[in-house]
Amino acid sequence: MSFENLLTKTENGIHTITINRPDKLNALNKKTVQEIGDAVKDAIAESAVKGIIITGAGPKSFVAGADISEFVGLSVEQGKTMAKAGQDVFKLIEESPKPIIAAVNGFALGGGCELAMACHLRVASDNAKFGQPEVNLGLIAGYGGTQRLTQLIGKAKSLELHMTADMLTAQQALQFGLVNYVVSPDQLIIKCLELFEKIKTKAPLAIAGVIASVNAYYTDGVNGFDAEVTEFGKCFATTDFKEGTTAFLEKRKANFTGK
Ligand code: COA
């Protein structure tokens, strides 16, 4: 599928989605949000894809937020619809059974910070900046930011960032546990691929089970321990479980097929 505001490519099983509006610092207009959802669905459905990288075009910005020009004149109901549409796409990312890494190559503000937080892992370049500056516009975060930032860095710092609109440097984001790694810009994609080289050698259905179980911790009305029991049990019906245990006993590397 081709997109108006995204570039996509698959290489060695890793699908890269690049948000491509560099003149607008990759701000997320409605069309881009919808295209991200479509691109992620495509990548999940494509059996050759083992992992997904989401990044922004250009050296300056991952995503500088939702497209502010589309906010003008919205009603309460239209504002709610906009937030729900973004939240639905970001939930799709969070619940993807295939691992998704945000390669944060600059500003990750508002919807950009929220997009990065919906991914499973975050690698930031050392020029990245994170923040939820919506209060500067008389708004609050609408794409899950009040929830995911609180989950990732705790209530006190989350409230502070949402209320002050302050930005975190990449190093501060690392210190607060918002990102997994900080690297130089030229190493950003290389670090993501290095993480995928490890993950790709593991059983894909087990990786999906890890994602579902960890997500269950944050899901209202779901007991995460029960979810873990279910996901653990499901592994015993897989060919990869048999391959993994047999390979261990035979002292060889497992060759997983995702079945
Ligand atoms: N929505 C729409 N357009 C945006 C945007 C956004 N969130 N963020 C940046 N842009 C556009 C600017 O309007 C400008 O477009 P123009 O050249 O047509 O005027 C272009 O991207 C470059 O941005 P500019 O502000 O000139 O770059 P800068 O380096 O001076 O500042 C930022 C960078 C990120 C600090 C600044 O763009 C900014 O504060 N953006 C908004 C961040 C925000 O509030 N995000 C949350 C939205 S809910």
Side-chain angles (χ1 to χ4, degrees), residues 34-255:
Q34 177 225 310
E35 288 189 345
I36 293 170
D38 291 343
V40 169
K41 275 188 214 152
D42 283 357
I44 292 171
E46 173 52 61
S47 61
V49 171
K50 307 298 175 204
I52 300 163
I53 294 172
I54 299 181
T55 193
K60 192 170 164 183
S61 182
F62 172 67
V63 166
D67 191 319
I68 296 168
S69 66
E70 289 188 346
F71 290 162
V72 180
L74 292 190
S75 66
V76 170
E77 281 315 310
Q78 287 168 322
K80 283 164 74 173
T81 302
M82 181 185 222
K84 182 74 172 67
Q87 286 195 9
D88 286 349
V89 169
F90 289 10
K91 189 163 183 275
L92 176 81
I93 292 170
E94 186 168 56
E95 292 181 350
S96 160
K98 295 183 181 177
I100 304 186
I101 303 180
V104 183
N105 56 308
F107 289 115
L109 303 177
C113 188
E114 292 168 298
L115 173 62
M117 292 191 294
C119 296
H120 302 123
L121 304 176
R122 281 156 294 284
V123 179
S125 57
D126 51 23
N127 65 331
K129 291 261 171 62
F130 295 81
Q132 296 290 160
E134 291 86 351
V135 289
N136 288 334
L137 305 167
L139 280 172
I140 70 164
Y143 292 171
T146 60
Q147 304 306 294
R148 291 198 182 92
L149 190 61
T150 309
Q151 290 165 357
L152 283 164
I153 70 171
K155 185 176 179 184
K157 269 289 164 195
S158 173
L159 278 169
E160 181 184 335
L161 289 179
H162 282 286
M163 292 196 294
T164 61
D166 281 350
M167 290 189 211
L168 293 181
T169 63
Q171 278 305 329
Q172 287 170 320
L174 183 65
Q175 189 192 329
F176 293 133
L178 181 55
V179 300
N180 297 76
Y181 294 96
V182 175
V183 295
S184 58
D186 61 316
Q187 292 297 304
L188 184 61
I189 297 298
I190 292 169
K191 183 68 197 177
C192 296
L193 294 175
E194 193 184 296
L195 285 163
F196 274 131
E197 278 312 307
K198 278 187 203 168
I199 296 169
K200 269 166 65 180
T201 65
K202 318 302 177 202
L205 292 172
I207 297 293
V210 167
I211 292 170
S213 297
V214 173
N215 281 349
Y217 178 84
Y218 300 101
T219 308
D220 270 352
V222 172
N223 181 311
F225 288 96
D226 291 346
E228 185 182 275
V229 165
T230 303
E231 293 298 331
F232 180 79
K234 275 162 65 179
C235 296
F236 288 84
T238 66
T239 306
D240 279 346
F241 157 72
K242 289 186 196 80
E243 166 63 9
T245 44
T246 306
F248 177 81
L249 295 172
E250 292 176 354
K251 300 192 187 305
R252 63 173 172 82
K253 268 183 102 173
N255 180 22

